[in-house]
Amino acid sequence: MNYKKIKLAVFDWAGTTVDYGCMAPYVVFDETFKAKNIYLTKAEILEPMGMEKRDHIRTLLSTEKASAQWYKEYGRIWNDDDINDMYEFFEARLAEVAADFSEPVDGVVDTIKELRKNGIMIGSTTGYTGAMMENVIPKAKALGYEADYVVTPEIVGSGRPAPFMIYENMRKFNVYPPENVIKIGDTVMDILEGKNAGVWSVGVLDGSSEVALSKEEMSALSAEEIDIYRKNAINKYKKAGADYIIDSIKDIPELIKKINERMQEEK
């Protein structure tokens, strides 16, 4: 009998387990578009966060604002060659800076230790490519965080919101059915990835790209102002179909206990 309990936790990387506020991709996307004289707000840049990065560039270029700026600057609409050019710039720059944004989010190291102590395997998915992760993985490990498996979009042929990176984690650890898996992330794309895979899908608030605040920005705001950002993120997670929304990664062990109890009651 396949006992109903969480056996595998699949975490996102930037904005969830490392890089508080998901700053590395934001900074590099901003540089990438400014290099083409396209100017977008932080909120606009972060909107598709969680996607494979080439898809992210395409999504941003497809917005009315970016398309209009592009046409004004170049006298034509953008094309796939432009996306490839921007992606190459993005990939090279992110590889240069990503390690500088690899510090684990507060609570991650102890949370992962507790999950492993309880026999739960630690998988991960990301919108970064393998090349982008080359410097992130060892830096995060040196600072105390390591996933048991890292799945990038090129491994399975597609990124979020497709479920295949989660399925690859399930294949690797021989964990099924999907109800024995929990996916934790900080973007709408993470939630949709989890829902499409049929696993428990959880949105985290603290440090997330949906809240979209760095530590410095957080310290400059009042509690009431921060609450506005958090409520906006909660609404996005709910709209995407999140099964649960948690304040902090520290809440994961208790949430897993709750889900396990729920599944036993539903037998």
Side-chain angles (χ1 to χ4, degrees), residues 202-218:
V202 179
V204 64
L205 294 172
D206 191 27
S208 71
S209 64
E210 293 299 349
V211 172
L213 294 172
S214 67
K215 289 182 179 179
E216 292 74 21
E217 289 169 330
M218 290 276 283

Side-chain angles (χ1 to χ4, degrees), residues 38-259:
I38 308 297
Y39 298 89
L40 301 172
T41 67
K42 183 179 181 181
E44 289 166 341
I45 290 171
L46 291 176
E47 184 66 27
M49 197 62 77
M51 283 185 172
E52 185 275 329
K53 303 314 175 191
R54 193 187 303 270
D55 290 340
H56 191 134
I57 291 170
R58 183 185 297 276
T59 298
L60 290 179
L61 280 177
S62 297
T63 63
E64 184 177 348
K65 181 176 179 180
S67 291
Q69 289 185 54
W70 185 281
Y71 193 85
K72 183 177 180 181
E73 181 70 22
Y74 301 105
R76 61 175 178 82
I77 60 174
W78 54 268
N79 56 42
D80 285 347
D81 288 338
D82 299 314
I83 291 174
N84 291 337
D85 179 49
M86 294 176 73
Y87 177 78
E88 287 177 9
F89 178 94
F90 177 89
E91 185 175 41
R93 281 293 293 138
L94 190 67
E96 291 175 3
V97 307
D100 296 331
F101 293 86
S102 299
E103 181 179 354
V105 172
D106 184 38
V108 165
V109 174
D110 288 341
T111 295
I112 297 303
K113 285 181 181 177
E114 183 170 352
L115 295 185
R116 286 195 171 115
K117 185 176 69 176
N118 292 328
I120 296 172
M121 291 165 283
I122 309 300
S124 68
T125 68
T126 178
Y128 287 5
T129 64
M132 294 172 189
M133 290 298 293
E134 282 182 1
N135 294 326
V136 174
I137 293 171
K139 182 66 175 293
K141 181 179 180 179
L143 294 172
Y145 172 64
E146 182 180 20
D148 297 324
Y149 192 39
V150 181
V151 182
T152 58
E154 73 270 26
I155 290 176
V156 298
S158 63
R160 301 168 184 144
F164 305 116
M165 290 193 291
I166 291 177
Y167 291 159
E168 172 59 15
N169 277 274
M170 293 170 64
R171 182 206 64 78
K172 171 71 173 179
F173 297 108
N174 193 31
V175 173
Y176 60 89
E179 65 184 351
N180 287 348
V181 180
I182 185 171
K183 168 65 203 294
I184 304 99
D186 71 301
T187 69
V188 165
M189 286 296 142
D190 285 296
I191 301 301
L192 294 175
E193 178 188 33
K195 297 301 290 184
N196 288 335
V199 304
W200 299 96
S201 196
V202 179
V204 64
L205 294 172
D206 191 27
S208 71
S209 64
E210 293 299 349
V211 172
L213 294 172
S214 67
K215 289 182 179 179
E216 292 74 21
E217 289 169 330
M218 290 276 283
S219 64
L221 296 175
S222 67
E224 292 76 14
E225 289 171 321
I226 293 171
D227 193 50
I228 293 173
Y229 284 90
R230 288 169 59 85
K231 285 180 177 177
N232 181 57
I234 289 169
N235 288 336
K236 287 184 177 181
Y237 286 149
K238 286 182 176 178
K239 188 176 180 180
D243 295 298
Y244 293 96
I245 300 168
I246 56 175
D247 288 324
S248 165
I249 207 79
K250 299 175 187 178
D251 300 326
I252 287 295
E254 190 61 37
L255 174 60
I256 288 177
K257 290 180 184 177
K258 180 178 179 180
I259 292 174

